[in-house]
């Protein structure tokens, strides 16, 4: 053996020593076990010949670390209803991978399946039509017709018509012509495929809708004929509108078919759309391209109704439209309170339009309120609608009741809403602290997923049961499923944990606070069931972003991993969070960096006073606005925290305002509602001074907490320069600082490898708690 090689020192990754490397190895192996748990993205239910049976199709995703993407699978099940109201799911033995599929959408009858495969380069989009046994048709749509189909769950809209002869969908507009150059200068006639002596210029720069939409062209509306494969752009839509969420309007015999879509208008700039519901939008109706098979001369000659008609003239936000099964009315959500206040998300409302027999009458149509905005609810009462998704078919068989998911304080619950009377009922158990997500309806039954911070998700089946005096109630039964299987080690670790939702009184420092702003906040406390000694486990305060978001009591693989390492978690829903009424939410804008910071400190002090946490063992973790709070906390309360970790934190609003895709956020969270009128692309000296004073960087001189910074280099929301400025300044003053930059990640840092490395480093980094807090 070569002695020189045997004695050579082992090369260590930068920043690791022998002890830390052992922790890396142990924690990464444990995180892999949590990471292997699958998620259900979508589900569809198809009727069978028997009234007691139906077929379910579940779209599942699982993180694939080596490929750095999510694998998608389809798993089928036969659902058998027993005579005693019980149900059994008979699962297929194996799932089928949907390799390369961007989206799958069944037809209304369930007899066909559309599979969308978007190109990874400048190739054509592939649209496939499958039946129960084979591929029926495949269409390749070139870039000259349109770019990639939108499958982003916001602009996204893919809708079959009732007779399944046409599919309407949203895709990128075709690429505009760009100048061509060669060694002689500008070349007329453009670039041909075999022309190697020329190159294509960039042309005019186009605005995008910001974070995650960079490089994507304007969303536009198209219709595919499933018979001929012809793809036609929908005409009559103003170029200033970005379109999405298309559905077919009810068809009337002998009349042209219409489409209803959501349109977002813009003038000089498109502000960031992701997570921002304060962008004005409206519902429009437009005539679909006529079908060549049955178009009449009258239809072809119709020109006066070609322009899209604005349906929602009296309201400045309307999205997620859904027609009732009989086509008599159209319901939709509105974020009017977000648009009016400038808050990026707020309390929603639900509205109804009675659909006319002649679409041209829609110009003067009345919009009815079904669920208005709730400002402040009494204790235990409906706090308002906080719904961000609606099933493509959310209707029970009566044709007037829809099922919606909504945040209710720190839980996600399911609601039953009568769209004619406005009656709202919570149909998931009111005594449960679990969170419920909605998968699909099986006739009048509901397929959902329930979970908690310490319970792996499982499928739950809801049925209506008759009670005395014709009263009805919902009964829920858990369904055995292979989807959420996890290792015995993970189950053992989770079984040793418990959680509760705490109500925590807020500190009222002003008489000007509204009633809603004086209500208690909530925090989800996760801890070990087995207290080994008189000492407390280290505590990590978990802070959500937004700030107008919420941390629900649902299962998170990443947070369950941290809990399993021996940390207690305090997941704080400070004032400004969704789910607590509009007054509580609107109390935060203008007080960011003070009221939210006070709420977090109050929550931490609450568990310390209860003897559930040690003052010397507190860490903080947050991303985006949660990172804003984390860096504020280590500056405003430097003695309170022994470790911190942040993901793409807002550290300097005065720097952020000039480079972010949401500069209006900087004004609204700093000034409050007055920020809407103050917003400009050229902030004044007064604005910049206020922004700086509201920022964590204004407290940097007091910071001494070791801090981990995680940055996505492609982040347009809080560009990496913002956090790097703060992190470099900490390093310069001698604070223990670790920085990891993920070159291909955006704001969420959710690419599988990046998310994995992030939480391994968070787990290892917080091991400092055990060292610092030793006596």
């Amino acid at each position: 053996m070569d002695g020189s090689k045997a004695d050579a020192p082992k090369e260590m990754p930068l920043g690791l020593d022998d002890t830390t490397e052992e922790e890396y190895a142990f924690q990464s192996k444990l995180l892999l076990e949590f990471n292997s748990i699958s998620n259900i993205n979508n589900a569809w239910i198809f009727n069978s010949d028997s009234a007691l049976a139906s077929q379910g199709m579940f779209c599942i995703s699982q993180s694939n670390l080596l490929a750095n993407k999510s694998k998608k699978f389809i798993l089928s099940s036969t659902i058998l209803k027993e005579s005693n109201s019980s149900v059994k799911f008979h699962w297929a033995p194996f799932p089928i991978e949907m390799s390369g599929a961007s989206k799958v959408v069944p037809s209304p009858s369930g007899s066909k399946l559309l599979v969308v495969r978007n190109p990874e380069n400048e190739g054509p989009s592939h649209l496939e039509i499958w039946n129960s046994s084979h591929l029926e048709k495949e269409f390749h749509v070139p870039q000259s017709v349109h770019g990639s189909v939108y499958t982003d769950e916001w602009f996204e809209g893919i809708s079959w018509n009732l007779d399944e002869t046409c599919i309407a969908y949203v895709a990128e507009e075709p690429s505009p012509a760009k100048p061509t150059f060669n060694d002689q200068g500008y070349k007329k006639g453009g670039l041909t495929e075999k022309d190697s002596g020329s190159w294509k210029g960039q042309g005019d720069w186009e605005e995008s809708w910001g974070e995650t939409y960079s490089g994507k062209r304007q969303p536009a509306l198209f219709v595919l004929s499933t018979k001929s494969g012809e793809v036609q752009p929908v005409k009559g839509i103003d170029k200033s509108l970005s379109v999405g969420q298309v559905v077919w309007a009810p068809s009337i015999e002998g009349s042209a078919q219409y489409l209803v879509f959501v349109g977002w208008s813009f003038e000089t700039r498109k502000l960031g759309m992701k997570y921002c519901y304060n962008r004005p939008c409206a519902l429009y109706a437009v005539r679909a391209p006529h079908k060549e098979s049955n178009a009449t001369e009258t239809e072809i000659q119709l020109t006066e109704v070609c322009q899209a008609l604005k349906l929602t003239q009296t309201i400045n936000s309307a999205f997620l439209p859904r027609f009732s099964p009989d086509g008599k009315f159209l319901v939709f959500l509105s974020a009017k309170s977000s648009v009016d206040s400038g808050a990026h998300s707020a309390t929603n409302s639900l509205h109804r339009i009675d659909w006319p027999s002649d679409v041209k009458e829609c110009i003067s149509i009345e919009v009815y309120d079904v669920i208005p905005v709730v400002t402040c609810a009494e204790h235990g009462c409906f706090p308002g609608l906080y719904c961000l998704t609606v099933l493509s078919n959310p209707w029970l068989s009566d044709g007037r009741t829809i099922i919606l998911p909504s945040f209710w304080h720190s839980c996600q619950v399911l609601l039953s809403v009568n769209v004619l009377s406005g009656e709202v009922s919570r149909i998931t158990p009111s005594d449960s602290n679990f969170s419920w997500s909605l998968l699909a309806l099986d006739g009048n039954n509901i397929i959902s997923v329930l979970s908690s911070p310490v319970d792996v998700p499982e499928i739950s089946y809801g049925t209506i049961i008759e009670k005395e005096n014709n009263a009805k109630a919902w009964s829920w039964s858990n369904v055995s499923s292979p989807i959420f299987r996890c290792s015995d080690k993970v189950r053992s670790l989770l079984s040793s944990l418990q959680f509760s939702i705490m109500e925590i009184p807020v500190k009222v420092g002003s008489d000007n606070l509204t009633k809603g702003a004086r209500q208690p906040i909530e925090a989800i406390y996760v801890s070990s069931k087995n207290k080994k000694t008189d000492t407390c486990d280290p505590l990590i305060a978990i802070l959500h972003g937004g700030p107008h978001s919420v941390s629900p009591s649902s299962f998170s693989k990443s947070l369950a991993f941290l809990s399993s390492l021996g940390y207690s978690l305090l997941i704080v829903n400070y004032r400004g969070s969704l789910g607590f009424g509009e007054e509580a939410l609107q109390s935060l804008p203008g007080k960011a960096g003070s009221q939210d910071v006070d709420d977090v400190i109050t929550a931490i002090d609450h568990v310390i006073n209860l003897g559930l946490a040690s003052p010397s063992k507190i860490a903080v973790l947050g991303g985006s606005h949660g990172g804003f709070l984390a860096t504020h906390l280590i500056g405003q309360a430097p003695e309170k925290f022994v470790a911190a970790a942040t993901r793409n934190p807002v550290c300097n609003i005065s720097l952020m305002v000039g480079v972010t895709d949401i500069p209006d956020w900087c004004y609204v969270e700093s000034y409050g509602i007055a920020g809407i009128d103050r917003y400009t692309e050229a902030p004044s000296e007064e604005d910049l001074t206020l922004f700086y004073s509201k920022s964590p960087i204004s407290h940097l001189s007091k910071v001494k907490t070791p801090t981990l910074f995680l940055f996505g280099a492609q982040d347009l929301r809080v560009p990496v320069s913002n956090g790097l400025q703060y992190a470099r300044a900490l390093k310069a003053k001698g604070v223990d600082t670790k920085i990891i930059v993920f070159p291909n990640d955006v704001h969420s840092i959710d690419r599988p490898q990046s998310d994995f490395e992030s939480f391994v480093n968070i787990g290892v980094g917080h091991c400092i708690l055990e060292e610092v807090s030793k006596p």
Side-chain angles (χ1 to χ4, degrees):
M1 179 182 288
D2 187 337
S4 62
K5 288 185 179 178
D7 297 334
K10 181 176 66 173
E11 184 179 350
M12 301 286 290
L14 185 65
L16 294 189
D17 55 25
D18 286 329
T19 303
T20 313
E21 188 179 44
E22 286 299 316
E23 277 297 329
Y24 251 69
F26 165 74
Q27 293 196 21
S28 61
K29 189 173 290 187
L30 179 59
L31 184 54
L32 279 173
E33 298 202 43
F34 281 94
N35 217 47
S36 66
I37 301 172
S38 299
N39 299 312
I40 300 180
N41 299 335
N42 302 96
W44 302 269
I45 306 301
F46 310 106
N47 295 327
S48 66
D49 296 333
S50 169
L52 296 177
S54 52
Q55 299 293 322
M57 186 173 79
F58 297 79
C59 182
I60 307 164
S61 64
Q62 184 181 32
S63 178
N64 183 346
L65 285 170
L66 289 178
N68 203 19
K69 59 177 67 173
S70 291
K71 281 183 175 289
K72 291 182 181 178
F73 306 87
I74 294 291
L75 183 63
S76 297
S77 177
T78 300
I79 304 170
L80 299 177
K81 292 99 169 175
E82 308 290 338
S83 56
N84 60 356
S85 298
S86 64
V87 65
K88 290 185 179 179
F89 281 53
H90 294 272
W91 298 94
F94 302 103
I96 305 298
E97 184 177 0
M98 299 295 289
S99 180
S102 304
K103 197 73 178 179
V104 295
V105 183
S107 65
S109 68
S111 62
K112 296 177 182 178
L113 181 71
L114 170 69
V115 178
V116 177
R117 302 184 192 274
N118 278 327
E120 293 187 359
N121 45 42
E122 290 299 307
S125 298
H126 293 200
L127 306 178
E128 303 169 356
I129 308 293
W130 292 76
N131 63 24
S132 59
S133 61
H134 64 277
L135 175 65
E136 272 190 8
K137 294 178 181 178
E138 182 176 4
F139 309 115
H140 294 186
V141 186
Q143 291 279 330
S144 58
V145 176
H146 65 63
S148 292
V149 177
Y150 271 85
T151 58
D152 64 326
E153 299 182 355
W154 188 240
F155 288 114
E156 173 190 320
I158 302 175
S159 180
W160 292 76
N161 68 347
L162 196 59
D163 62 12
E164 302 182 357
T165 57
C166 291
I167 300 172
Y169 60 94
V170 179
E172 295 180 59
E173 286 184 340
S175 183
K178 295 182 178 180
T180 301
F181 304 93
N182 58 21
D183 58 357
Q184 302 297 312
Y186 177 73
K187 180 184 177 183
K188 295 181 179 180
L191 184 68
T192 61
E193 285 186 15
K194 297 181 180 180
D195 189 350
S196 59
S198 304
W199 76 91
K200 188 178 288 187
Q202 294 301 311
D204 289 355
W205 176 71
E206 283 188 82
E207 286 273 8
S208 75
W209 285 107
E211 174 71 15
T212 75
Y213 296 107
S214 178
K216 292 190 74 68
R217 300 193 294 274
Q218 173 86 334
L221 196 51
F222 299 86
V223 172
L224 165 73
S225 166
T226 59
K227 293 182 178 179
S228 67
E230 181 185 9
V231 174
Q232 296 186 63
V234 177
K235 298 178 180 179
I237 300 174
D238 193 281
K239 289 293 184 183
S240 67
L241 285 181
S242 291
V243 306
Q245 303 177 14
V246 62
V247 294
W248 290 88
S251 57
I252 299 173
E253 188 69 31
S255 299
Q257 284 196 295
Y258 279 81
L259 298 165
V260 170
F261 65 91
V262 180
W264 292 265
S265 59
F266 62 94
E267 295 178 2
T268 58
R269 176 171 183 181
K270 297 175 180 175
L271 293 170
M273 182 70 74
K274 187 77 170 178
Y275 310 122
C276 293
Y277 302 94
N278 55 327
R279 310 299 175 221
C281 56
L283 297 187
Y284 295 82
V286 68
R287 190 156 58 89
H290 60 265
K291 294 182 288 184
E292 61 281 355
S293 57
N294 60 2
T296 65
E297 284 298 317
T298 304
E299 285 178 342
I300 296 171
Q301 291 172 6
L302 279 174
T303 57
E304 71 275 10
V305 292
C306 279
Q307 282 300 120
L309 302 173
K310 188 174 182 179
L311 304 177
T312 50
Q313 302 275 356
T314 59
I315 193 167
N316 57 15
S317 173
F319 56 94
L320 293 177
R322 297 293 185 266
F323 279 98
S324 60
D326 59 10
K328 290 184 178 179
F329 41 84
L330 174 68
V331 297
F332 61 90
L333 290 173
S334 173
K336 181 180 184 297
S337 54
S338 292
V339 177
D340 290 344
S341 68
H344 67 90
S345 187
T347 313
N348 289 337
S349 51
L350 184 71
H351 303 270
R352 186 188 83 243
I353 289 173
D354 293 339
W355 194 248
S357 56
D358 186 346
V359 176
K360 286 180 283 186
E361 296 175 11
C362 289
I363 296 176
S364 57
I365 205 162
E366 186 172 356
V367 175
Y368 297 96
D369 294 343
V370 177
I371 302 178
V373 171
V374 175
T375 55
C376 178
E378 295 301 321
H379 184 75
C381 296
F382 174 57
L385 186 62
Y386 301 91
C387 176
L388 306 177
T389 60
V390 179
L391 293 180
S392 57
N393 179 19
W395 301 93
L396 296 184
S397 61
D398 63 6
R400 61 178 182 270
T401 303
I402 60 173
I403 306 299
L404 298 175
S406 183
F407 296 118
W408 188 305
H409 294 190
S410 296
C411 298
Q412 182 167 261
V413 304
L414 302 185
L415 303 175
S416 164
V417 181
N418 185 313
V419 301
L420 297 181
S421 68
E423 180 184 358
V424 180
S425 302
R426 176 175 176 171
I427 60 175
T428 44
S430 59
D431 59 353
S432 170
N433 280 338
F434 282 55
S435 278
W436 303 66
S437 59
L438 181 61
L439 285 181
L441 300 187
D442 182 15
N444 280 333
N445 305 317
I446 297 174
I447 300 176
S448 65
V449 171
L450 80 158
S451 69
S452 85
V454 301
D455 293 277
V456 172
E458 57 184 326
I459 294 174
S460 186
Y461 194 85
T463 57
I464 301 176
I465 56 173
E466 300 286 343
K467 303 189 82 173
E468 295 180 3
N469 302 322
N470 293 324
K472 295 180 179 179
W474 283 85
S475 173
W476 297 91
S477 56
N478 295 342
V479 174
S480 176
S481 157
I483 297 173
F484 300 112
R485 282 179 184 159
C486 59
S487 68
D488 291 340
K489 183 174 184 178
V490 166
R491 287 212 176 269
S492 176
L493 288 167
L494 292 175
S495 68
S496 68
L497 301 174
Q498 60 188 351
F499 85 101
S500 62
I501 299 178
M502 298 177 167
E503 275 196 358
I504 303 170
V506 298
K507 293 180 179 177
V508 180
S510 169
D511 294 333
N512 297 326
L513 288 178
T514 60
K515 179 182 177 182
R518 296 169 181 266
Q519 300 299 313
I521 61 170
E522 288 186 353
I524 303 166
Y525 178 68
V526 183
S527 63
S528 172
K529 291 178 181 176
N530 309 310
K531 195 169 183 181
K532 308 175 191 66
T533 66
D534 292 336
T535 61
C536 298
D537 288 332
L539 178 79
I540 306 176
I542 309 292
L543 310 176
H544 66 70
H548 309 299
S549 179
V550 65
S551 292
S553 60
S554 54
F555 186 73
S556 159
K557 289 180 274 189
S558 303
L559 296 187
F561 160 72
L562 292 179
S563 300
S564 298
L565 293 176
Y567 300 115
S568 296
L569 305 182
L570 187 67
I571 306 167
V572 184
N573 285 318
Y574 45 86
R575 280 174 292 177
S577 302
L578 302 179
F580 295 84
E582 187 67 2
E583 285 185 351
L585 187 144
Q586 294 295 348
S587 71
L588 181 56
K591 300 174 186 174
S594 54
Q595 178 179 286
D596 43 4
V597 170
D598 289 344
D599 284 354
V600 175
I601 292 175
T602 298
I604 293 172
D605 287 342
H606 182 77
V607 292
I608 291 174
N609 293 336
L610 291 174
L612 301 175
S614 168
S616 62
K617 297 182 181 180
I618 310 292
V620 62
L621 166 63
S624 191
H625 189 86
F628 170 85
L629 286 176
T631 46
H632 255 303
L633 286 160
I634 61 176
Q636 293 191 41
E639 305 297 332
K640 209 169 192 74
F641 301 94
V642 295
T646 68
R647 288 160 57 114
N648 287 326
V650 177
C651 296
N652 185 349
I653 302 175
S654 61
L655 177 63
M656 174 182 167
V657 69
V659 290
T660 179
D661 66 333
I662 53 166
D664 57 325
W665 179 95
C666 302
Y667 284 85
V668 170
E669 296 304 331
S670 298
Y671 281 105
I673 194 170
I676 296 177
D677 295 328
R678 291 193 67 100
Y679 165 60
T680 171
E681 292 288 342
S684 66
E685 182 179 349
E686 180 186 354
D687 293 335
L688 295 174
T689 300
L690 178 68
F691 295 159
Y692 187 88
S693 71
K694 295 276 186 178
S695 300
I697 200 167
S698 66
H699 300 279
L700 184 135
S701 63
K702 297 173 282 185
V703 177
K704 54 186 179 181
T705 305
T707 305
L708 168 65
F709 292 91
L710 303 162
F711 298 125
Q714 305 303 314
D715 186 357
L716 299 181
R717 182 65 37 100
V718 187
V720 65
S721 58
N722 201 276
L724 272 178
Q725 180 197 41
Y726 184 93
R728 285 168 172 157
L730 280 192
K731 266 192 171 182
K733 70 188 293 288
V735 177
D736 187 6
T737 304
K738 182 180 176 71
I739 301 169
I740 302 176
V741 178
F742 300 100
N744 298 311
D745 275 82
V746 294
H747 188 58
S748 54
I749 312 184
D750 57 2
R751 289 158 60 88
Q753 291 176 2
S754 306
D755 183 68
F756 184 85
E757 186 176 353
S758 293
F759 275 91
V760 169
N761 276 278
I762 290 168
V764 172
H766 280 149
C767 285
I768 192 171
L769 284 168
E770 298 174 12
E771 298 300 318
V772 171
S773 58
K774 282 181 179 176

